[in-house]
Amino acid sequence: QVQLVESGGGLVQAGGSLGLSCAASGTIFSINFMGWYRQAPGKQRELVATVNSGGAINYADSVKGRFTVSRDVAMNTLYLQMNNLKPEDTAVYYCNSRGYSSLNYRPFDYWGQGTQVTVSS
């Protein structure tokens, strides 16, 4: 079993900054992929930023230049620094982790519980 614990988020005015973190723990042999996704009310969950084991990073066009994703491989932790936030960034942000279990070496795909980010205008 793998647990993802998210922290950060909250309420901020437009133009402000927030940081999120996601710590993975449990029966982890390796993590191949971690990412941030978000879901606004009435909308589908969408990709925000991802990073794979090779360090390749992918951002949604809507956050490029404003958000920075980073990963502490040793600590199995993913970060998201969000600057110049806009009201349209308001959503529940979810962490996703994919890798292999140390119990049976089978692949896993887990999601965090989500953390609310609200940007006021």
Side-chain angles (χ1 to χ4, degrees):
Q1 190 78 5
V2 175
Q3 297 81 38
L4 298 179
V5 178
E6 299 156 345
S7 60
L11 174 63
V12 66
Q13 288 187 332
S17 298
L18 282 174
L20 304 180
S21 64
C22 170
S25 63
T27 54
I28 299 171
F29 175 72
S30 65
I31 293 179
N32 300 335
F33 173 96
M34 294 188 79
W36 291 101
Y37 296 76
R38 66 187 182 187
Q39 187 167 17
K43 295 187 176 182
Q44 289 189 335
R45 190 173 297 186
E46 62 177 7
L47 179 150
V48 176
T50 64
V51 57
N52 66 17
S53 57
I57 292 175
N58 183 41
Y59 292 103
D61 287 343
S62 59
V63 307
K64 284 180 180 177
R66 301 188 298 121
F67 290 12
T68 301
V69 67
S70 60
R71 179 183 168 187
D72 185 330
V73 176
M75 298 299 293
N76 288 333
T77 301
L78 185 71
Y79 302 94
L80 185 68
Q81 178 63 37
M82 304 180 290
N83 298 327
N84 190 21
L85 282 159
K86 304 176 180 180
E88 51 264 42
D89 294 318
T90 295
V92 177
Y93 284 68
Y94 295 92
C95 175
N96 175 240
S97 179
R98 305 169 197 173
Y100 289 88
S101 168
S102 60
L103 284 179
N104 51 24
Y105 303 104
R106 297 186 69 176
F108 65 76
D109 184 347
Y110 285 97
W111 292 85
Q113 78 283 1
T115 184
Q116 177 70 46
V117 171
T118 302
V119 184
S120 62
S121 57

